[in-house]
């Protein structure tokens, strides 16, 4: 027998079937088939407003059910229209990332399918724009769901699309749209749409840019502000929060050379759960995805990496795989921090605190969604402890978790992997350098002071065999204390396990060696030519001049050339210090190996 009351504290007692104006029977049926009976606060407040032709500006916590809050009224508004022509656009939904757009598209399908002769199209990057053009030409597009770049591109290319009868525009994650630099594309899209329309602007944070966007795109909007309610452990009072009510937040303070061992211990402890681990850079995701998969204690755990530098097909497959597994770990950057609704996330681990503190709530909001319980933890270095108080002042309180004393030291394992496979060595160096440079760009630079970064301990935590020759280290003298270099190994001789990569590396080494030798020969020829020219311009004592040319003059010429080469090397070194060239470019100039 169906319960008549709602027991989920994240939901209201308002049923979708009780909303006014009433929803269509087919929509109620589609909602119930997806196990949606009771509304969340944002749904209860927003759906009636959009259905009665009001513009809305919605400020709601992550995981509050915003997607259904705009999809349900969108479908209801379109149901009232007569059957549209194939290329007549009635609704547009804009979101900042491909993953979020894809998620919205998939959630929308059961509801859009209830509309006769209405076709929705997903428009995101990662594939040829001509493929999207062909789909729209052949099948039409009444509801366009996608990212600003691809949507604006399609609108510029296709005169066949008719926006004159557009009914509704939705801007999802509006603050992120602006943060990611889509202001120009969003403005272009809005300029192409009729002013007589409904507009919904949904955002987790109300920034100045979002308010300006609301003024430009909405007419007398109704403001809907919904925050999660959480109960303080030291008090029975309810307090407003922008994190889910069922979320237990912790922080772990440990030295940089202990972080990786603590992470592995935490993953082992939660081997039967579903976790997301956030890193600051794409290179870090690549490295830890490779290393963690080779640690024996983690062999039984499914590890799935995803970041913004991956091809779209790979990102889609990674998310699909992680969604399907009952337990496993998603290793990612902030590309998976906002809007994504992956079911069953038990634990969110922030191995690196986000550059932008606003992303903290979005990250932890992947768990404890819609009233469920979840845990989250952020790793901090001892010098970063002020971050706890900083977040508390922003309404996010974390409890301390002590370092695990039973955590095994994984550094020897990682170093052994690097010695056996050059891929681990190179990815580790790249991840380390990318992290240091990303750390320099931290928005909270007064807490995350990169000049106080203990580079030696950090390198040990990454399991590096040696400290890379970084301009940041030389110029600012970051502390290398705590780093123990590996002795007795010639790093140039470390090979790729992948035989084809090793063969290519050897070919590259030989090619560079041959090029250097050729350059030396060319310099020698130029020197001889200049010397011969000088000899021809001398007086009758040509033999004496020739003898001088082979002695002091030749030495002078060679010295000048050496000084010129040193000056060029110095110019490259200065470029490296300024960050205008990368380490690998400098290494090639110096004739070093390719890592």
């Amino acid at each position: 027998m169906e319960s008549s009351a709602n027991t989920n504290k994240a939901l209201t007692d308002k049923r979708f079937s009780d909303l006014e104006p009433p929803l269509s029977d087919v929509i109620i049926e589609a909602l119930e088939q997806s196990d949606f009976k009771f509304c969340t606060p944002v749904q209860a407040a927003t759906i009636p407003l959009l259905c009665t032709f009001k513009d809305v500006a919605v400020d709601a916590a992550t995981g509050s059910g915003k997607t259904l809050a705009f999809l349900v009224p969108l479908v209801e508004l379109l149901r009232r229209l007569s059957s549209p022509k194939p290329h007549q656009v009635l609704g547009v939904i804009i979101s900042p990332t491909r993953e979020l757009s894809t998620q919205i598209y998939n959630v929308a399908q059961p509801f859009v399918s209830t509309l006769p002769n209405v076709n929705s199209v997903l428009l995101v990057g990662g594939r040829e724009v001509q493929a999207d053009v062909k789909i729209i030409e052949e099948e039409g597009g009444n509801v366009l769901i996608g990212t600003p770049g691809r949507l604006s591109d399609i609108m510029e290319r296709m005169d066949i699309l008719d926006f004159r009868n557009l009914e509704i525009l939705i801007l999802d994650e509006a603050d992120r749209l602006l943060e990611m630099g889509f202001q120009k594309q969003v403005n272009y899209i809005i300029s192409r749409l009729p002013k007589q329309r409904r507009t919904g602007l949904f955002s987790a944070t109300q920034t100045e840019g979002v308010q300006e966007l609301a003024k430009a795109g909405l007419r007398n909007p109704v403001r809907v502000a919904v925050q999660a309610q959480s109960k303080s452990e030291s008090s029975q009072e309810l307090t407003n929060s922008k994190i889910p009510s069922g979320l237990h937040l912790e922080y772990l303070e440990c030295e940089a050379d202990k972080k990786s061992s603590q992470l592995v211990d935490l993953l082992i402890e939660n081997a039967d759960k579903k976790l997301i681990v956030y890193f600051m850079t794409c290179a870090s995701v690549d490295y830890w995805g490779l290393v963690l998969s080779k640690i024996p204690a983690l062999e039984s755990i499914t590890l799935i990496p995803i970041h913004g530098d991956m091809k779209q097909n790979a990102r889609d497959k990674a998310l699909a795989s992680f969604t399907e597994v009952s337990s496993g770990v998603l290793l990612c950057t902030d590309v998976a921090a906002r809007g994504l609704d992956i079911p069953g996330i038990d634990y969110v681990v922030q191995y690196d605190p986000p550059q932008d503190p606003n992303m903290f709530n979005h990250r932890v909001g992947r768990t404890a969604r819609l009233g469920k319980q979840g845990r989250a933890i952020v790793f901090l270095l001892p010098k970063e402890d002020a971050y706890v108080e900083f977040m508390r002042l922003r309404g996010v309180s974390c409890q301390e978790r002590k370092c695990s004393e039973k955590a095994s030291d994984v550094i020897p394992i990682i170093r052994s992997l690097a010695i056996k496979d050059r891929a681990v060595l190179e990815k580790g160096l790249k991840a380390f350098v990318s992290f240091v440079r990303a750390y320099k760009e931290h928005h909270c630079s007064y807490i995350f002071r990169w000049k106080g970064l203990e580079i030696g301990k950090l390198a040990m935590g990454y399991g590096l065999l040696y400290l890379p020759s970084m301009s940041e280290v030389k110029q600012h003298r970051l502390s290398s204390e705590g780093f123990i270099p590996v002795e007795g190994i010639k790093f140039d001789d470390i090979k790729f396990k992948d035989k084809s990569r090793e063969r290519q590396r050897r070919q590259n080494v030989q090619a560079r060696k041959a090029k250097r030798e050729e350059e030396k020969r060319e310099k020698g020829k130029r020197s001889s030519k200049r010397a011969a020219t000088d000899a021809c311009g001398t007086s009758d004592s040509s033999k004496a001049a020739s003898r001088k040319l082979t002695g002091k003059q030749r030495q002078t010429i060679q010295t000048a050339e050496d000084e010129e080469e040193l000056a060029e090397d110095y110019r490259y070194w200065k470029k490296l210090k300024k960050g205008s060239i990368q380490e690998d470019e400098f290494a090639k100039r110096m004739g070093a190996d390719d890592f």
Side-chain angles (χ1 to χ4, degrees), residues 31 142 220 311 314 366 396 402 409 465 539 560:
L31 286 164
N142 307 117
N220 300 318
K311 292 183 178 179
R366 297 315 99 208
V396 180
K402 297 294 184 182
D409 185 8
L465 304 184
S539 61

Coordinates of all heavy atoms in Angstrom, one line a residue, residues 31 142 220 311 314 366 396 402 409 465 539 560:
L31 N 6.2 11.1 -13.9 CA 6.9 11.4 -12.7 C 6.8 10.2 -11.7 O 7.8 9.8 -11.1 CB 6.3 12.6 -12.0 CG 6.6 14.0 -12.6 CD1 5.6 15.1 -12.1 CD2 8.0 14.4 -12.3
N142 N 12.7 21.0 -31.9 CA 11.7 21.9 -31.3 C 12.2 22.3 -29.9 O 11.8 23.4 -29.4 CB 10.4 21.2 -31.1 CG 9.8 20.6 -32.4 OD1 9.7 19.4 -32.6 ND2 9.6 21.5 -33.4
N220 N 10.5 41.4 -15.0 CA 9.9 41.4 -13.6 C 9.9 40.0 -13.1 O 8.8 39.4 -12.8 CB 8.4 41.9 -13.7 CG 8.3 43.3 -14.2 OD1 9.1 44.2 -13.8 ND2 7.4 43.6 -15.1
K311 N 38.8 13.4 -24.6 CA 37.8 13.6 -25.7 C 36.4 13.3 -25.1 O 36.2 12.6 -24.2 CB 38.2 12.6 -26.8 CG 39.5 12.9 -27.5 CD 39.7 12.0 -28.7 CE 41.0 12.3 -29.4 NZ 41.3 11.4 -30.5
A314 N 35.2 9.8 -24.6 CA 35.8 9.1 -23.4 C 35.2 9.6 -22.1 O 35.0 8.9 -21.2 CB 37.3 9.4 -23.4
R366 N 27.7 16.5 -4.6 CA 27.5 15.3 -5.4 C 26.9 14.2 -4.5 O 26.5 13.2 -5.1 CB 28.7 14.9 -6.1 CG 29.4 15.8 -7.1 CD 28.4 16.4 -8.1 NE 28.0 17.8 -7.7 CZ 26.8 18.3 -7.9 NH1 25.9 17.6 -8.6 NH2 26.5 19.5 -7.5
V396 N 29.9 26.9 6.1 CA 30.2 25.5 5.9 C 31.2 25.1 7.0 O 32.3 25.5 7.1 CB 30.9 25.3 4.5 CG1 31.2 23.8 4.4 CG2 30.0 25.8 3.4
K402 N 41.3 12.7 12.3 CA 42.7 12.5 12.5 C 43.3 11.5 11.4 O 42.6 10.7 10.8 CB 42.9 11.8 13.9 CG 42.5 12.6 15.0 CD 43.3 13.9 15.2 CE 42.9 14.7 16.4 NZ 43.7 15.9 16.6
D409 N 52.8 3.1 4.1 CA 53.5 4.0 3.3 C 53.5 3.5 1.8 O 54.1 2.5 1.5 CB 55.0 4.2 3.8 CG 55.8 5.2 3.1 OD1 55.2 5.9 2.2 OD2 57.0 5.3 3.3
L465 N 61.1 10.5 -8.3 CA 62.4 10.0 -8.2 C 63.4 11.1 -8.0 O 64.5 10.9 -7.3 CB 62.8 9.2 -9.4 CG 61.9 8.0 -9.8 CD1 62.5 7.2 -10.9 CD2 61.6 7.1 -8.6
S539 N 97.1 40.8 -46.4 CA 98.2 41.2 -47.3 C 99.0 40.0 -47.9 O 98.5 38.9 -47.8 CB 99.1 42.1 -46.5 OG 99.7 41.4 -45.4
A560 N 83.7 33.1 -29.6 CA 82.5 34.0 -29.9 C 81.3 33.2 -30.1 O 80.2 33.5 -29.7 CB 82.9 34.9 -31.1

